[in-house]
């Protein structure tokens, strides 16, 4: 991760101005045994109040771009999100999916095809950090491609035993 971070925060120069590329930040709550949700997708047991939640909500206001997988986006439907709506109105939203279909009026950009290349392009275009919102499977693929620059874990003192792993089933680099 540190080598990827050094490479990806390299600066571009345009008209004698320095522009820092956005970092992909996986900012996520997890159980002590490394699950971000139960098998049914619920997050019962993860701490939902306290100073760490206040800090997370403050960080959310600083992100201008969010990337998530289809399952994470569609999980928002249970919380009242309508198909095509932005889950975070102040953020440009990218959903990684080969199957998601949204209404024509949607402001959501769907990333299809080469996901590693798509996410790398989003990072390169971002002027601020990019929020990687949930989705252990998507996070695992990003990690295996060296695209996660920063990891912020909110660890709850609960063990799920099974569920959605923090990094899915994708192999991740070691060392």
């Amino acid at each position: 991760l540190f080598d990827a971070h050094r490479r990806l925060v390299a600066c571009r120069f345009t008209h004698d101005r320095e522009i820092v590329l956005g970092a992909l930040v996986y900012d996520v709550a997890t159980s002590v045994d490394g699950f971000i949700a139960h098998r049914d997708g619920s997050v019962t047991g993860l701490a939902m109040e306290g100073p760490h939640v206040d800090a997370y909500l403050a960080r959310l206001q600083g992100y201008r771009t969010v990337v998530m997988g289809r399952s994470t986006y569609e999980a928002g439907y249970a919380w009242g999100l309508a198909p095509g709506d932005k889950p975070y109105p102040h953020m440009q939203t990218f959903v990684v999916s080969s199957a998601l279909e949204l209404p024509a009026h949607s402001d959501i950009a769907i990333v299809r095809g080469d996901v590693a290349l798509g996410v790398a392009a989003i990072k390169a275009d971002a002027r601020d950090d990019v929020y990687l919102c949930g989705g252990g499977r998507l996070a695992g693929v990003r990690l295996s491609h060296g695209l996660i620059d920063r990891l912020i874990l909110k660890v709850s003192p609960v063990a799920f035993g099974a569920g959605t792993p923090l990094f899915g089933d994708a192999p991740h680099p070691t060392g």
Side-chain angles (χ1 to χ4, degrees):
L1 281 178
F2 294 109
D3 288 338
H5 180 70
R6 279 194 283 278
R7 281 196 312 274
L8 292 169
V9 296
C11 295
R12 298 182 298 190
F13 293 92
T14 307
H15 304 291
D16 296 325
R17 266 188 39 218
E18 183 179 292
I19 300 173
V20 178
L21 303 178
L24 186 64
V25 182
Y26 189 28
D27 192 339
V28 64
T30 183
S31 63
V32 294
D33 54 350
F35 294 99
I36 62 172
H38 293 281
R39 287 184 189 184
D40 67 358
S42 69
V43 294
T44 304
L46 295 180
M48 296 295 179
E49 55 186 39
H52 68 286
V53 175
D54 296 337
Y56 166 70
L57 294 173
R59 283 192 307 277
L60 279 182
Q61 295 308 308
Y63 297 121
R64 299 288 168 245
T65 305
V66 60
V67 177
M68 65 184 67
R70 179 189 54 79
S71 296
T72 299
Y73 180 76
E74 289 179 338
Y77 298 167
W79 298 91
L81 183 72
D85 286 353
K86 290 180 168 186
Y88 303 99
H90 72 283
M91 294 185 208
Q92 183 178 13
T93 304
F94 295 89
V95 177
V96 175
S97 175
S98 60
L100 182 66
E101 297 296 330
L102 296 173
H105 71 276
S106 176
D107 286 333
I108 305 293
I110 300 175
V111 178
R112 302 188 196 278
D114 187 334
V115 177
L117 191 60
V119 172
I122 292 166
K123 286 175 56 173
D125 287 343
R127 302 212 180 215
D128 298 309
D129 289 347
V130 176
Y131 173 41
L132 176 57
C133 178
R137 191 170 57 230
L138 179 61
V141 173
R142 299 291 56 77
L143 183 65
S144 67
H145 284 91
L147 292 174
I148 295 178
D149 300 299
R150 192 173 320 126
L151 180 61
I152 301 174
L153 296 178
K154 298 168 293 294
V155 182
S156 290
V158 62
F160 287 177
T164 304
L166 183 62
F167 291 107
D169 297 326
H172 11 284
T174 57

